[in-house]
Amino acid sequence: MYSAEPFTDGDVEVLKDCLLEYVQDENAKNVSTAVRAFGYLQDRSLVPLLRNLLEVRLRELSAASMGVGQLIVVLNDLGEQLFEHNFSAINIDENALNARRYLYKHGVNVPW
């Protein structure tokens, strides 16, 4: 249906406005899908917004990783030996890998 009647410029602007509103909603669940739609628009004016969104989401990931880090430390302190070296709060990748290895040893496979 859409290929028979391509979007007008007005349609594209309405869609863009809806997507902009959606990705800025803190409760939005499918932000990655909405962001992907921006790629199809090929609109460089979106770069500042997308850069800001990346900053916000990366901070969220980092904050969540601190929670994972605390769990690793507590489990390790309880004798579970989650890491071989000293724990580093800033080494998010290694912490995630250690957590995944630990869970895998206990029958849980967490994809990444």
Side-chain angles (χ1 to χ4, degrees):
M1 182 171 111
Y2 294 118
S3 61
E5 292 184 38
F7 289 131
T8 66
D9 289 344
D11 294 335
V12 171
E13 283 304 311
V14 168
L15 178 60
K16 182 173 134 182
D17 290 343
C18 289
L19 289 170
L20 285 169
E21 184 178 334
Y22 182 75
V23 299
Q24 294 177 65
D25 181 349
E26 292 179 13
N27 298 314
K29 302 288 186 220
N30 297 306
V31 171
S32 61
T33 303
V35 167
R36 182 66 191 119
F38 285 136
Y40 294 111
L41 296 176
Q42 295 291 302
D43 183 348
R44 292 220 21 101
S45 72
L46 295 170
V47 168
L49 167 95
L50 295 173
R51 186 179 301 127
N52 179 265
L53 189 61
L54 178 61
E55 177 187 346
V56 168
R57 295 299 175 156
L58 195 53
R59 286 182 193 273
E60 289 172 2
L61 179 61
S62 295
S65 135
M66 290 301 291
V68 169
Q70 291 304 315
L71 285 165
I72 289 171
V73 168
V74 170
L75 283 165
N76 195 73
D77 288 350
L78 293 172
E80 291 297 294
Q81 298 181 339
L82 269 86
F83 45 88
E84 297 172 12
H85 315 297
N86 291 332
F87 173 78
S88 171
I90 60 171
N91 196 339
I92 296 167
D93 292 335
E94 186 174 339
N95 295 341
L97 181 60
N98 287 333
R100 291 179 68 225
R101 284 182 184 152
Y102 171 78
L103 290 172
Y104 186 75
K105 285 193 303 189
H106 292 275
V108 179
N109 187 16
V110 179
W112 183 271

